[in-house]
Amino acid sequence: MEKVANTKRAASKDSASELEDFFVDSLKDIYWAEKHLTKALAKMQKAATSEELANAFGDHLTVTQEHVARVEKVFELLEKKPQAKKCEAMEGLIKEGEDIIAETEKGSATRDVGLILAAQKVEHYEIATYGGLAQLAKTLGREDIKDILGQTLDEEKQADELLTSLAESDINEAAEQEG
């Protein structure tokens, strides 16, 4: 009977270790994503036609730099060195944004529509990632980390709502009136 209990404890410890390893691996992924997003947001800010959209990208660049610092704080709380692992999803989303810039007319509302759509795809990816990571932190008994990730999750949701608001304010209609 005691051998069965020990086996269950060992299995539980192994699965917790596997879950924590998965959590850290996913953290490395979003760390890479956030760091690369800072470069992409600067390009999107420069490419935006609407001053409001350019300002939104600039503001979110500052917030994204805070997100990088928060992920580094999570690594610190886990007593791990901050390390990035290439995020294939973010690389693809950033490439899509670059393609929109290359394929749309400079100074057009259509370019802004494309940039908003590309940025919302990024936000949705981040919302899914931070939501999942926050839940995993809770499962791992790390409320401190869950709270940090939850703060970033809330900011990503706010960025998505702002992008929707900008599109609905007049950018989509202006694009519809173009050629």
Side-chain angles (χ1 to χ4, degrees), residues 69-140:
R70 278 193 207 127
V71 173
E72 289 170 347
K73 175 69 176 170
V74 170
F75 276 113
E76 181 183 315
L77 290 169
L78 293 169
E79 299 178 358
K80 306 259 184 215
K81 180 182 175 198
Q83 188 179 3
K85 178 185 120 181
K86 185 176 182 181
C87 176
E88 301 290 342
M90 187 60 75
E91 182 181 51
L93 292 169
I94 289 171
K95 168 89 171 77
E96 189 171 327
E98 291 169 350
D99 289 348
I100 287 167
I101 293 169
E103 295 168 6
T104 56
E105 185 179 332
K106 183 178 180 178
S108 70
T110 300
R111 175 178 277 186
D112 282 355
V113 168
L115 289 172
I116 289 170
L117 184 59
Q120 285 190 295
K121 288 178 182 182
V122 167
E123 295 308 322
H124 291 195
Y125 175 77
E126 290 178 309
I127 289 166
T129 300
Y130 282 109
L133 285 171
Q135 184 57 48
L136 288 175
K138 181 179 177 181
T139 300
L140 292 167

Side-chain angles (χ1 to χ4, degrees), residues 10-24 80 140:
S12 175
K13 185 178 188 292
D14 287 345
S15 65
S17 296
E18 284 182 42
L19 184 59
E20 188 171 331
D21 289 347
F22 177 79
F23 178 79
V24 170
K80 306 259 184 215
L140 292 167

